[in-house]
Amino acid sequence: MILKSLYGRIAIIYLLLLIAFGGFAVWITALNSARFVAELQQKLQHDLAAHLAHDLAPALRHDARGASVEAAARRLQAVNPSLDLYLLDAHGDIVTYLMGDSPLARHRVAIEPIKQFVAGAESLPIRGDDPGSQTAKAIFSATPIQFGPLNDGHYRHGYLYVILRGMPYTSAAGMLQGSYILRTGAVTLAVAVVFAGIVGLLLFALLTRRFRRLTATVRHFKAGHYDERFPDGVDDEIGRLGRAFNDMAATIQAQVEALQRTDATRRELVANVSHDLRTPLTSLRGYAERLEARLPDTDTDRRECLRAILYDAEQIERLVAQLSLLSRLDAQQLEPVMEPFPIAELVQDVMIKFKPHAETRGVELTTCHRADVPVVRADVGLVERALSNLIDNALQNTPAGGQVRIELAIQGESLHVVVTDTGCGIPEDELALVVQRFYRTAKSRAADGGGTGLGLSIANEIAEMHGSRLDIISRLNAGTRVAFDLKLTA
């Protein structure tokens, strides 16, 4: 959760940078300290090989592997046992191992570092190959030397190569473990990093406090509190963002209030129109029925005209009934009367009502449910209206030869009411829109005598009044499945 906030991400990045910086600083300090100690030791013992060569020269000139050389080497080892002393030829090959405890791991060392040391290189330390290891490097002291036996009257030339093992630290980690000063410095740096981290986190919390306040204001506004504003007068980026939000919120609030006034006027208009149309529609239908009853059977033209008038009057009456119900839903004047009733009987009654219409359209209307469907607790009239709207909508969109089926299935503590058809289906991009008021799909708009776009909307609102909502699954040219839930009685 903390990674989703600006403060959390800034804090984590800051802490990671502090830890990386602290570790890098400790490592660099240890490396430089190790290099300094190595440089100091090599400078202090720079002439060690020359002094040893002065003591060993008489014996070496006689025979590099003779008993006198071994005796001289033992005397030197007794004085300083920490040295490894090697006699090298001019190419770096080890002629003899004069003194030391490390066994030979290689028989030749690189000659270039030795030449640099002998030439008096200013950049120390210089590390050469350690004969006691196949890969390790070590600081050393070296000097040119002549040794025997004679070769055609001339001595052989080479180097006296001394590995300086007096330095106990060969790595930065070793320096940290063995040096009290470095350990103390590392602990001090760690304390400083922790202190800087705590102070930084507190400062980041103070800096982002106003941003969190702005975020809370926006969330309250999103939740419907349109009078919410950001009370901040600081002239910085957050302050300017807050003022921009306040201006936007004021504009949105004014638009919402205007929409609410318009919606109230619309609801009043719909209620008045639906009420005022009932009387003339009833009169129109009554006169048309009387005229149809008085016409002789041979007057087919006038009879067809009257039937068309009656059909249109019936369609307008359905629309008026839907508008009246819609106005009552908008005004929240319709409170559902929850009572137990057998849903299977209601389904049968609705099917009987729609059976003639289905036969006229050539659509098979069926039902599928178990014999002992439990009793549900709901508003009978509203459920009948929702079910009628769904069946009527399915019949309107199913061609001749198709099928509309009503299913009842128990799911936990609810009854699943499903209306399935084999009609034209709904495009995927319109599925979320069909429950909006007055919305009609492209096929419905193109068809003659299409619906009003209120059937699914009213059914969805009735389902919501019962704690559910329409669940619509549809495939284009393959049919539609619409379902909602009703609570079972305890």
Side-chain angles (χ1 to χ4, degrees), residues 421-434:
D421 64 64
T422 58
C424 59
I426 303 171
E428 185 177 355
D429 57 346
E430 295 186 84
L431 275 177
L433 304 175
V434 292

Side-chain angles (χ1 to χ4, degrees), residues 46-280:
H46 186 278
D47 297 330
L48 176 62
H51 295 314
L52 294 176
H54 181 269
D55 295 336
L56 293 173
L60 288 173
R61 287 194 185 96
H62 178 68
D63 187 357
R65 294 185 176 88
S68 59
V69 173
E70 292 181 2
R74 284 195 295 271
R75 289 194 303 272
L76 292 175
Q77 190 171 21
V79 176
N80 192 346
S82 64
L83 300 178
D84 286 353
L85 186 61
Y86 305 89
L87 181 63
L88 310 178
D89 65 12
H91 302 290
D93 293 324
I94 299 176
V95 176
T96 184
Y97 180 22
L98 296 176
M99 57 180 288
D101 298 328
S102 302
L104 285 179
R106 67 175 91 189
H107 297 278
R108 185 172 188 172
V109 298
I111 201 67
E112 288 302 322
I114 298 174
K115 290 182 177 180
Q116 292 178 15
F117 182 86
V118 172
E122 296 182 358
S123 178
L124 297 179
I126 299 175
R127 298 183 183 274
D129 292 338
D130 183 358
S133 170
Q134 293 183 352
T135 57
K137 302 285 185 179
I139 57 174
F140 63 92
S141 177
T143 187
I145 195 170
Q146 295 178 345
F147 58 91
L150 293 177
N151 184 13
D152 298 331
H154 299 284
Y155 289 106
R156 299 172 64 185
H157 292 276
Y159 298 94
L160 191 62
Y161 186 59
V162 183
I163 298 296
L164 304 176
R165 300 196 183 278
M167 179 183 176
Y169 317 118
T170 58
S171 66
M175 287 293 298
L176 285 174
Q177 294 174 2
S179 173
Y180 172 78
I181 295 177
L182 285 180
R183 288 202 309 271
T184 304
V187 171
T188 303
L189 182 60
V191 172
V193 168
V194 172
F195 178 75
I198 294 174
V199 173
L201 293 178
L202 292 176
L203 289 177
F204 289 149
L206 292 175
L207 290 174
T208 57
R209 181 179 58 182
R210 293 168 56 237
F211 189 80
R212 292 195 299 272
R213 188 187 308 161
L214 176 60
T215 303
T217 301
V218 174
R219 286 178 177 171
H220 288 153
F221 185 85
K222 178 184 176 181
H225 304 283
Y226 297 117
D227 57 346
E228 192 77 17
R229 297 294 183 270
F230 180 58
D232 191 286
V234 180
D235 189 18
D236 59 2
E237 288 81 358
I238 297 179
R240 289 192 287 273
L241 179 61
R243 286 193 293 275
F245 167 77
N246 290 341
D247 294 340
M248 180 194 68
T251 302
I252 293 176
Q253 185 179 17
Q255 293 175 346
V256 168
E257 292 173 353
L259 287 173
Q260 289 173 344
R261 290 192 296 268
T262 303
D263 191 55
T265 304
R266 178 191 61 79
R267 289 198 302 268
E268 183 179 358
L269 176 63
V270 169
N272 293 335
V273 168
S274 62
H275 179 271
D276 295 340
L277 283 176
R278 288 181 182 274
T279 301

Side-chain angles (χ1 to χ4, degrees), residues 361 363 393-404 420-424:
R361 296 186 60 88
V363 177
N393 189 74
L395 290 174
Q396 292 291 338
N397 293 278
T398 302
Q403 184 184 44
V404 174
T420 307
D421 64 64
T422 58
C424 59

